Amino acid sequence: MVWKDIVKLALVGTERGQLQNSTQQELEILGIDTNTDSAEIILKASALLSKMKRAGYQPIRNTTIVEPPAPPETQDLCNKKSVQHLLLILGGSYKDALPEFLETLGRIGKRLPEEVLPDVLEMGKKKPKQWTLLRKIIGTRGEWLVSQNPNWQYIILNTEAENWETATKTERLALLRHWRSVEPQQALEMLEATWKYENINDKLDFLKILKIKLSISDEAFLEKSLDAKRKEERKLAAKLLSKIPESQLIQRMYQRIAPLLTIQKKQLHIQLPNEINEEAQRDGIDIRTQWIRGGVKASRLGQMLAVIPPQMLETHFGRAPKKILELYWKSDWRELLFQSILESTAIHNNQFWTDAIFTFWHEKAQKEDLSNFINLTPLLENISENLFNKIGMMGLANTRTLLDESHPVIQLLKLSPHKWEPQLTKVFILGLQSWMSNATAYWSGWHYKAILKKAAYNSDPKLVSQLDLNWPRNQRIWGFWEKEVEEFLSVLHFRKEMLETLQK
């Protein structure tokens, strides 16, 4: 400020202006006599200040409060070789092995190395299913990092319910997820306390977390949301209520479909609904949706059936699942009926019906292509590991050639998340090797390469020595398959060494 005042006076002239009082005071502090001629003051001040500017300036005092360092670790670190394996995984070489690495690390009670914590915490933001696991393996350094970065506070450190109203959005989501996991009623009470103050986006995100340990205790809260102003909230509330078998919404839906499905002369008779009243629309029936081929009325019936728990159909028809599926199969509306039973079985996670559907599907698929109207994808996470392996082995063992890409067993092997039993892996590899040894059309079988990659991460790595044998490495076809087969074996070798090292 002093320098600017002096420059300004020099430009306009001492006869047309004068120094400000504050400037004179500053100059006197610097030892310049301000009682002399103005021109002399300007010359002396300019000489002094120019030298001072060259010499430097007084730095601003740093008042930043430095956070204390992370406390000492109390949890054992995985060994150096395991750290090398993890760095390879994070580098992309074996990225699909990360879940197995983290799960094994959590099981043996060790922690991640400090240098990978930022990468793992950043990746974990989009994987809520791993949040509880990550909290166990990040150690005190990881917790310290989480406290510094708002983007990582999905790993909730302070789980006190009293923090609900003052926490950030990320913290509230993590807090709600925590309490739904350990004490669902407490989480519900937290939501009820602030619900009328929440905006619609927050409401939708909070409602999605209610899927965790959803029960009849949540019904009253969700019923209120069926009357909400926003369609998104009403729709999500209806979807959640449809997952509660004992809910009044389910009972109301059953009362609507009961008179529409009857058995006459051992045949299923179906009557399509006429009008959909406001109460049915409140329960989630969309009168405009073309749910499936067959028209709007068929779509409405399909929407109703899709939320009815399969066990209620057993009571309604007085028949076991297999008999009901046979009734559906013979009906002119079998596409509608099968899609609805697939939806409801997935919604209610009914293991008994899941196994029954897959068994029925496997039997029929031997004679008819079902891919056009039976989409089993929603049930893939529900199918038992035992049945998955059983169907896989049955489908692969009874053929001397490669199955078509549209074959249901191929779709099951490509999409199911289950681990492969050793026998299934052997049957698959032996069949592929046999085909390669006798094949004349080298360009066929490309869909098996995707399954080979799946098998690499889902098979028991202890089998790698056996699976390395009997490949037709000296035949012409090997050039078309060498890369994929060697990658398959490399992944198995890596996983075997990774798991053995983690246990040391």
Side-chain angles (χ1 to χ4, degrees), residues 106-233:
R107 189 167 57 251
I108 63 178
K110 294 186 178 180
R111 64 178 172 87
L112 291 165
E114 292 84 352
E115 59 266 33
V116 305
L117 287 173
D119 289 336
V120 173
L121 289 169
E122 189 65 24
M123 287 189 297
K125 289 192 300 186
K126 298 180 180 180
K127 299 179 179 179
K129 291 182 179 180
Q130 293 184 353
W131 289 358
T132 301
L133 171 60
L134 287 176
R135 189 178 179 189
K136 296 178 181 178
I137 60 177
I138 59 175
T140 54
R141 176 62 62 85
E143 293 180 357
W144 182 84
L145 286 172
V146 168
S147 68
Q148 310 299 313
N149 190 339
N151 292 328
W152 297 340
Q153 288 171 13
Y154 60 85
I155 297 182
I156 188 70
L157 300 178
N158 187 345
T159 58
E160 294 296 328
E162 289 76 11
N163 297 328
W164 170 250
E165 295 187 25
T166 57
T168 65
K169 172 71 177 292
T170 301
E171 292 171 332
R172 296 180 84 198
L173 289 171
L175 197 61
L176 188 63
R177 181 175 291 276
H178 166 78
W179 281 106
R180 282 301 288 188
S181 300
V182 299
E183 194 175 329
Q185 189 59 34
Q186 174 64 58
L188 188 62
E189 291 174 4
M190 289 158 52
L191 274 182
E192 289 176 328
T194 61
W195 192 250
K196 64 181 179 180
Y197 306 111
E198 309 291 355
N199 63 55
I200 184 60
N201 292 327
D202 288 354
K203 283 184 175 182
L204 296 179
D205 288 337
F206 294 150
L207 282 175
K208 291 173 184 177
I209 295 178
L210 287 188
K211 289 188 295 184
I212 300 172
K213 294 189 177 181
L214 184 68
S215 73
I216 193 64
S217 299
D218 303 310
E219 183 183 34
F221 176 77
L222 293 171
E223 279 280 346
K224 293 178 183 177
S225 284
L226 289 181
D227 297 315
K229 292 182 180 180
R230 296 293 293 266
K231 179 181 178 181
E232 304 96 313
E233 182 181 345

Side-chain angles (χ1 to χ4, degrees), residues 94 97 100 425 429 452-468 471 485-500:
Y94 303 97
E100 186 175 33
T425 303
I429 295 300
L452 196 62
K453 183 177 180 179
K454 188 88 172 183
Y457 287 97
N458 285 13
S459 298
D460 186 346
K462 295 178 182 177
L463 299 173
V464 64
S465 298
Q466 300 176 46
L467 301 177
D468 196 14
W471 293 98
V485 173
E486 294 299 346
E487 285 181 356
F488 164 74
L489 296 171
S490 174
V491 169
L492 287 174
H493 275 292
F494 175 81
R495 288 179 55 227
K496 180 175 183 292
E497 182 179 300
M498 176 190 79
L499 294 174
E500 290 176 349

